[in-house]
Amino acid sequence: MLCIQQLAQEVSEMIRIFGRKDAMGKKASHFNRDQHSAAIIMVTPLLITLVLLFLFPVSLVLMMSFTNWSLTTPVRDFVGFRNFLFVLNDGRFWKALNNTAYYTGLKLIVDTTIALLIAVLLDKKIRMRRFFRIAHFAPVVVPITASSLIWLWFYDPGIGPLNQILKLIGLPALQWLYSEKTALLSVIIFSVWKGLGYNVILFLAGLQSIPESYLEAARIDGANEWQVFSRVKFPLLGPVTSFIVMMGIINCFKVFTEVDVMTPNHGPLESTLLMVSYIYNQSFTRGKMGRGAAAALILFVIIFIFTMLQRAFTRKEVSID
Amino acid sequence: MVKKLRSQYPVTIAFLLVSSALMIFPFAWMLLSAFKTPADVYNYPPKWIPSSFKLTNFEEVFRKIPFLRFYANSIFIAVIQTVLQIGISAMGAFALAKLDFPGRGKIRIFMQSSLFVPEVVTMIPLFLLAAWVGMVDTYTGLIIPGLNCAFTTLLLISFFQTIPNELIDAAKVDGCNYYRIFMTIVLPNSRTAIGTASLFAFLTHWRSYMWPLIITNNVKMRTLPIGLKYLVTETQSEYQILMAASLMAIIPVLVVYMLMEKEFIQSITLTGLKS
Amino acid sequence: MKRAATILAVFIVLCMIASPLGAQTKLKVWFAVSGDSGEAFKALLEKYDAMNDDIVIEASYSGNYADTATKVSASLVSNTAPDVALMAAGPLYTGARNDFFIESKIAEPDFNKNDIYPGVWDYAKYNGRICAIPYGISTPVLYYNKAVLDKAGISMANPPKTWSEFIQIAKTAQAKGNISGSSDFWGFDVTDVAWLFKTMLSQNDNTVIAVKGSAVSPAFNDQKAVEVASFWKRLVDEKVMPVGQHANAEKKFLSGNLAFLVATSARIARWSKDQTIQIGAIPMPYFQKPSVALGGNVLIILSKDQKIREASWKLVKFLANTENQTTFALKTGYLPIRKSGLSLPDAKKAVTNNQMYAIAFDQLDISWSYWHFEQMGTMDQILAQTIDVIERNVMTPKAALDKAASDLQAEING
């Protein structure tokens, strides 16, 4: 995907729109009128859902963030920027942000690389391919109530299999979820296990859409497998990879349920306190909906900044022809 | 050349066997646990193989909670939501990817921003709206607020963009309107993408817990994830019934996966895009 | 004659149709308890429904305490609230909203308010005024694994009275009572850290919070509290209790890897049925004086309509009368809240047959609670975090408690 070019195209379109110039900076043709009308019809349902399920709630959240809305008592006073100042001055907020950044960075790197590797392997015509595929997708499918119980048992320092295996190899047992040094890491391992299948499928879909002819051409030209991968497959996977990374960043910043079931009460010394846990804690546990709303808006801005950064770093896709 | 390729396969298979084992290991434990008796569960060290393979736990599930009702609700809601979501997303994605119209970029950024908001944040405002229009304890209330199409739309945009514009322009010259182009050219060539998007949409809706919990009071309206939570006892120790229920809860997703997998296999035979 | 008869017949038929149609009141009841407790509560609701033709009860399980609180809050804002709710922190939804309807009703003679333990009434107050009916009340109980103590040669004929005596017993049990042969065998653990800590504070002349007028402030960082926290630290320092694994405590106990466990009395009903280990209980050890902190759920009335309120109150009275509340308690392990309940034959039988019930019921005499206040949930969380910090030796007890107090004060100040 010519991401930079696209970004430029969209920005220039926006400039054109805002500059009140002709929105279609190209030669006018009767195609454009058709495109307008078709577009309006095709985009409207999407817009309706966005307005109802995104614009409306977020506007309410915006309003809430300037009040001291309480979950239990009917208090509703305007307090200006007090909530934002509180959140930005709250040590726990920064701790949550720190933990979330660590979680996002590590999970993204591990998840994406392993998923890509597995997808490439699964793309080949090998025996038992269907079994392997479904095996890697299985963790995604297991309900989280069940998988969290399973992993909680795995991570049990006394009787869990992970420590048993470590003992067998002769390594010291770890505290996993019960030490502030390893708790977040343990949660990340669980998250990676749970989410890998998703990205494998996405990469597979991307790999499938690479025409066989390009791979043949490369091989005929004398490329070995690694070169086929690095010169043909990987560049053509640009759009999918970019998509996966972007969604990965967004989902990691939004993670909540996984962390909450593995470490209720935010883990040892609050080492698994992440952004949405912080928001939930403020809004629901402490009942300060206004503060939670302010924190949510700050999170929104942070994610926005990160996705902009990610787009800026994305490479151009190699043109097919 | 061919010999070189073939010699890599044993390594590949060995690697995949190891990684599959790692992925399935907990799943296997879940499968075995579904047959355990309470004595097996508390045993120290915990037993892997249950003492018997009777189906008592599975029967218990139906006795403890209205499992069938939850199951039916979940299927009904998830299917409708998936169909609606894919329909809305595919149309929107086509327009945003291939059509030129004012506000296109704005809508795209607007849509992407909707991904930045976690569910816990929109939950209460949405509930207020839903309650105001009387959607509490209704199927509409369960279905409509789950239609967050941003993810699937972006996914489909990503794939639709790989369809060459020449194809579309050629059809246009031939006199097709954009709806026909959408139905006869874009959709058939994106089966993998649509399949993937459908699978992900279905999975998201199937697993949804917080919204159904807050919008329903009547037990008859509730869904499977809520039902599974009922089975998590306070001690979290008697998990054998939960595991049995979870096994049964996985089936529809696996079915959807199998359906979608066929798309993968079919699209291999279509080398690239048909010209 | 015929006409008169027809008119009479029509009139009678109309009366028969009209009476249920006109007079049926629907009561929406939400409850935050599941499993045995849920079944027992639902049974009582069904009994009331059957006994009263003019009432229809729409009962629903609203999730665990946290989920129920969220649902009730949301429902209050959107006017879809239930009429009656059985939930934790009930006073925050009535008293904190200046709704003291229940306070006015309990004066009714047939409710017999003095029959309920005074300590238990404190658990249903906001700002010193009653605004809920205590219902599923529990106290922490010190359970032990009989097989472990047998193996260690410890007899519970004369249980330890103070915590310093107790810690020695726990150490012996840990050293000599390992029945499972595992390396992860411990002497003592607790499921709900904040609850036991508050219990210990109350035993050492500390009231956890101080109330002045309608203002609440933390009181858990004075010298007495530091003594308690230092003892807690001893438990981990002397390796009787594992650090930070309280979430696993119950599992450990039930699989035979723990000698003593402090858990809620609400487990008694389940643990009296076929269990893989034999469980006993002893009175809670203390510092200066015996005391246990109360926990559990209460009944509140949320409806605003006067007629429905009165109907809800009738239901609540029914649920909280001696016979029904005691039945509920005996089926679940929650405690009978009425002194008269303890003299019912079923209760007496339970006490003679089941030593755990005897211990739990006795603790009612020494039960204690502070009044509900808005930030109490936050306080529990802060206390749990503080204990975690103390256990892991990140801060000294005094420093940790001081920080906790200032955090809570900041939260109270808003």
Side-chain angles (χ1 to χ4, degrees):
Chain A
M1 168 157 55
L2 306 112
C3 266
I4 310 283
Q5 285 184 10
Q6 263 201 320
L7 189 58
Q9 183 187 333
E10 280 158 29
V11 169
S12 68
E13 230 178 55
M14 277 167 68
I15 294 175
R16 266 184 246 132
I17 295 164
F18 288 128
R20 301 246 172 249
K21 289 216 188 108
D22 174 24
M24 303 296 118
K26 343 173 172 177
K27 44 191 192 295
S29 66
H30 72 279
F31 282 1
N32 290 339
R33 246 173 286 134
D34 283 339
Q35 292 194 21
H36 284 209
S37 57
I40 289 179
I41 305 225
M42 296 193 119
V43 165
T44 300
L46 182 63
L47 276 180
I48 294 179
T49 66
L50 282 176
V51 165
L52 267 181
L53 306 178
F54 168 60
L55 194 62
F56 168 75
V58 171
S59 313
L60 218 59
V61 168
L62 187 63
M63 282 201 301
M64 267 204 283
S65 67
F66 291 105
T67 70
N68 63 353
W69 234 66
S70 159
L71 195 60
T72 47
T73 57
V75 185
R76 306 246 188 293
D77 306 318
F78 181 73
V79 295
F81 282 98
R82 190 163 73 165
N83 292 329
F84 292 93
L85 288 173
F86 174 89
V87 169
L88 291 172
N89 275 323
D90 189 359
R92 288 177 79 232
F93 172 77
W94 292 104
K95 182 168 193 161
L97 186 55
N98 201 20
N99 289 340
T100 311
Y102 180 77
Y103 175 93
T104 304
L106 196 54
K107 176 169 189 230
L108 208 54
I109 295 175
V110 172
D111 197 330
T112 317
T113 24
I114 299 184
L116 180 56
L117 173 63
I118 293 184
V120 166
L121 294 179
L122 285 179
D123 196 29
K124 300 191 188 175
K125 296 173 188 46
I126 51 179
R127 263 176 279 156
M128 298 209 290
R129 178 156 60 163
R130 289 193 78 174
F131 165 73
F132 286 137
R133 278 210 178 120
I134 218 174
H136 287 87
F137 194 61
V140 179
V141 161
V142 177
I144 191 157
T145 30
S147 51
S148 59
L149 276 186
I150 297 173
W151 276 86
L152 278 169
W153 174 68
F154 270 27
Y155 280 139
D156 189 306
I159 58 177
L162 288 183
N163 271 352
Q164 309 288 10
I165 295 177
L166 285 179
K167 255 197 286 193
L168 272 175
I169 314 181
L171 291 171
L174 292 175
Q175 287 294 85
W176 300 108
L177 293 168
Y178 304 102
S179 156
E180 69 278 11
K181 301 193 192 85
T182 50
L184 191 55
L185 189 63
S186 310
V187 174
I188 292 176
I189 294 175
F190 170 65
S191 284
V192 168
W193 172 82
K194 219 173 130 306
L196 201 64
Y198 250 112
N199 289 338
V200 168
I201 297 231
L202 283 174
F203 274 128
L204 268 178
L207 285 168
Q208 305 287 18
S209 66
I210 296 178
E212 193 63 28
S213 45
Y214 300 145
L215 302 176
E216 290 286 316
R219 290 196 187 111
I220 289 173
D221 280 351
N224 63 29
E225 273 312 299
W226 169 253
Q227 283 165 329
V228 170
F229 173 72
S230 55
R231 302 268 175 87
V232 186
K233 286 190 189 170
F234 190 57
L236 288 177
L237 279 179
V240 178
T241 313
S242 164
F243 179 79
I244 287 180
V245 170
M246 180 185 76
M247 289 310 302
I249 293 177
I250 294 175
N251 286 332
C252 283
F253 268 95
K254 284 200 301 189
V255 75
F256 176 58
T257 314
E258 290 167 30
V259 182
D260 194 50
V261 295
M262 292 304 275
T263 57
N265 292 325
H266 312 145
L269 299 182
E270 294 201 301
S271 52
T272 58
L273 176 70
L274 299 182
M275 287 304 290
V276 182
S277 317
Y278 178 82
I279 294 174
Y280 186 90
N281 182 252
Q282 287 295 338
S283 291
F284 294 98
T285 315
R286 300 187 181 211
K288 311 256 189 199
M289 300 284 311
R291 257 195 230 159
L297 287 172
I298 297 178
L299 176 65
F300 185 95
V301 170
I302 293 176
I303 298 182
F304 187 79
I305 293 177
F306 269 94
T307 41
M308 288 288 112
L309 283 175
Q310 188 248 337
R311 275 178 137 204
F313 276 125
T314 305
R315 305 170 343 168
K316 271 196 222 176
E317 171 186 280
V318 172
S319 166
I320 293 184
D321 300 297
Chain B
M1 196 62 59
V2 171
K3 279 195 205 129
K4 243 199 206 167
L5 287 172
R6 285 240 177 92
S7 70
Q8 288 182 341
Y9 285 7
V11 178
T12 305
I13 292 200
F15 182 86
L16 285 175
L17 274 172
V18 171
S19 71
S20 298
L22 287 174
M23 292 280 129
I24 288 201
F25 187 53
F27 188 83
W29 194 77
M30 179 172 130
L31 189 64
L32 291 172
S33 301
F35 293 100
K36 288 185 188 157
T37 65
D40 291 334
V41 166
Y42 286 126
N43 200 41
Y44 176 80
K47 293 175 77 168
W48 271 83
I49 313 288
S51 42
S52 66
F53 277 89
K54 291 197 240 153
L55 292 177
T56 21
N57 288 336
F58 293 90
E59 291 163 7
E60 267 295 303
V61 172
F62 290 93
R63 247 176 283 150
K64 280 199 170 232
I65 57 176
F67 195 65
L68 275 178
R69 179 78 200 207
F70 291 155
Y71 215 97
N73 281 340
S74 279
I75 291 186
F76 178 65
I77 294 166
V79 167
I80 294 189
Q81 280 180 321
T82 305
V83 167
L84 285 176
Q85 180 170 337
I86 297 298
I88 296 177
S89 298
M91 286 201 300
F94 173 64
L96 287 167
K98 290 300 177 193
L99 300 180
D100 213 350
F101 57 95
R104 174 179 152 181
K106 271 199 283 195
I107 292 181
R108 186 148 167 193
I109 294 190
F110 184 49
M111 185 174 60
Q112 258 173 337
S113 312
S114 77
L115 289 171
F116 301 165
V117 187
E119 194 187 354
V120 298
V121 172
T122 54
M123 207 163 72
I124 297 282
L126 267 179
F127 178 77
L128 294 180
L129 178 63
W132 185 58
V133 297
M135 283 208 281
V136 174
D137 260 340
T138 62
Y139 282 113
T140 326
L142 279 162
I143 291 176
I144 305 287
L147 294 178
N148 292 301
C149 302
F151 174 72
T152 37
T153 310
L154 286 174
L155 179 62
L156 290 177
I157 289 180
S158 203
F159 280 98
F160 286 172
Q161 276 171 339
T162 62
I163 298 175
N165 286 336
E166 297 81 42
L167 223 60
I168 297 177
D169 291 340
K172 202 67 176 96
V173 166
D174 279 350
C176 294
N177 66 29
Y178 282 105
Y179 311 108
R180 275 198 67 195
I181 292 179
F182 178 62
M183 300 295 283
T184 60
I185 296 187
V186 174
L187 285 187
N189 272 314
S190 319
R191 292 167 81 153
T192 315
I194 304 258
T196 313
S198 307
L199 176 64
F200 289 170
F202 186 81
L203 193 57
T204 309
H205 297 133
W206 186 250
R207 302 201 288 204
S208 172
Y209 171 78
M210 280 206 253
W211 179 255
L213 181 69
I214 200 176
I215 195 74
T216 59
N217 301 320
N218 194 336
V219 157
K220 292 211 186 84
M221 296 298 294
R222 290 191 161 157
T223 57
L224 213 41
I226 302 178
L228 289 181
K229 197 78 185 281
Y230 284 7
L231 292 173
V232 177
T233 62
E234 292 109 323
T235 64
Q236 294 189 334
S237 302
E238 287 160 36
Y239 51 72
Q240 70 277 20
I241 299 179
L242 171 68
M243 296 300 163
S246 303
L247 272 180
M248 293 192 279
I250 287 179
I251 297 173
V253 187
L254 286 180
V255 167
V256 175
Y257 174 82
M258 301 288 193
L259 288 174
M260 188 222 74
E261 235 220 336
K262 279 202 219 135
E263 303 300 326
F264 271 153
I265 298 184
Q266 279 189 5
S267 62
I268 294 170
T269 58
L270 308 160
T271 43
L273 301 162
K274 289 202 179 301
S275 34
Chain C
M1 194 53 203
K2 249 205 223 160
R3 217 187 278 162
T6 329
I7 295 177
L8 189 59
V10 169
F11 178 73
I12 293 178
V13 167
L14 280 176
C15 283
M16 283 166 57
I17 301 176
S19 55
L21 262 187
Q24 266 215 332
T25 318
K26 190 161 78 157
L27 292 179
K28 284 198 294 182
V29 180
W30 289 3
F31 52 95
V33 291
S34 62
D36 287 332
S37 318
E39 295 304 311
F41 191 70
K42 255 202 307 198
L44 285 174
L45 292 175
E46 280 158 19
K47 186 165 146 198
Y48 187 77
D49 197 335
M51 280 169 47
N52 290 285
D53 283 331
D54 56 336
I55 302 279
V56 166
I57 295 188
E58 205 179 86
S60 88
Y61 169 58
S62 44
N64 60 21
Y65 286 165
D67 287 340
T68 300
T70 309
K71 277 183 72 85
V72 168
S73 304
S75 71
L76 280 169
V77 187
S78 58
N79 277 329
T80 52
D83 301 308
V84 176
L86 178 71
M87 59 187 292
L92 293 185
Y93 297 93
T94 50
R97 292 167 174 258
N98 223 8
D99 178 358
F100 291 100
F101 173 67
I102 287 189
E103 190 189 38
S104 56
K105 302 304 277 184
I106 54 178
E108 286 177 14
D110 60 343
F111 180 77
N112 207 347
K113 96 172 224 227
N114 293 324
D115 189 25
I116 296 183
Y117 288 90
V120 170
W121 269 129
D122 277 333
Y123 191 66
K125 289 185 186 165
Y126 182 84
N127 238 349
R129 295 169 64 184
I130 296 172
C131 49
I133 303 293
Y135 204 70
I137 298 298
S138 45
T139 64
V141 171
L142 181 54
Y143 301 97
Y144 65 86
N145 184 329
K146 288 189 181 161
V148 168
L149 292 205
D150 283 343
K151 177 150 193 249
I154 304 175
S155 151
M156 279 294 128
N158 267 325
K161 290 208 174 46
T162 64
W163 282 108
S164 11
E165 290 169 24
F166 171 76
I167 197 175
Q168 301 307 325
I169 308 261
K171 278 198 206 166
T172 316
Q174 182 173 347
K176 301 200 200 144
N178 192 337
I179 49 173
S180 62
S182 117
S183 55
D184 193 40
F185 183 83
W186 294 86
F188 175 74
D189 207 344
V190 50
T191 52
D192 192 327
V193 165
W195 201 7
L196 179 59
F197 187 63
K198 286 185 289 190
T199 296
M200 288 176 162
L201 288 176
S202 69
Q203 295 167 349
N204 209 28
D205 282 336
N206 181 298
T207 56
V208 181
I209 52 162
V211 180
K212 227 198 224 157
S214 58
V216 167
S217 62
F220 48 75
N221 59 336
D222 64 3
Q223 186 49 36
K224 301 272 183 188
V226 175
E227 283 168 19
V228 170
S230 307
F231 173 78
W232 191 292
K233 192 160 184 303
R234 267 186 71 191
L235 288 168
V236 297
D237 285 345
E238 297 180 23
K239 302 231 183 298
V240 178
M241 180 168 79
V243 172
Q245 286 195 42
H246 309 291
N248 274 344
E250 203 161 322
K251 252 190 287 189
K252 262 206 190 60
F253 183 68
L254 292 173
S255 57
N257 287 324
L258 198 57
F260 290 93
L261 173 75
V262 170
T264 170
S265 64
R267 290 280 177 274
I268 295 181
R270 192 182 324 147
W271 287 354
S272 307
K273 294 187 246 179
D274 40 19
Q275 278 293 331
T276 45
I277 62 171
Q278 294 296 313
I279 304 179
I282 56 172
M284 186 72 64
Y286 53 88
F287 288 104
Q288 304 278 17
K289 66 174 201 285
S291 164
V292 288
L294 288 168
N297 48 65
V298 300
L299 282 166
I300 53 173
I301 297 177
L302 290 169
S303 43
K304 294 287 174 232
D305 174 281
Q306 197 51 34
K307 194 173 117 193
I308 301 189
R309 271 191 172 200
E310 296 292 333
S312 302
W313 168 245
K314 285 217 192 76
L315 170 63
V316 167
K317 248 200 313 199
F318 171 82
L319 291 169
N321 70 24
T322 307
E323 184 202 337
N324 292 325
Q325 202 276 336
T326 315
T327 315
F328 175 75
L330 290 175
K331 277 203 206 137
T332 56
Y334 284 122
L335 304 171
I337 57 175
R338 288 179 178 279
K339 299 181 197 134
S340 58
L342 286 179
S343 24
L344 286 184
D346 277 339
K348 288 203 172 138
K349 222 178 10 158
V351 164
T352 14
N353 291 349
N354 190 333
Q355 181 236 2
M356 294 193 278
Y357 274 121
I359 301 282
F361 291 1
D362 276 343
Q363 285 183 173
L364 278 168
D365 289 318
I366 55 170
S367 64
W368 161 89
S369 173
Y370 48 84
W371 302 335
H372 280 65
F373 60 102
E374 235 194 295
Q375 298 84 6
M376 49 190 258
T378 312
M379 178 177 77
D380 282 348
Q381 209 179 46
I382 290 179
L383 285 178
Q385 286 294 337
T386 306
I387 298 286
D388 193 33
V389 162
I390 293 176
E391 281 183 12
R392 294 175 192 275
N393 222 356
V394 173
M395 286 170 107
T396 66
K398 173 112 187 72
L401 285 173
D402 281 337
K403 177 166 188 303
S406 70
D407 283 347
L408 184 60
Q409 189 63 58
E411 195 69 14
I412 292 175
N413 295 342

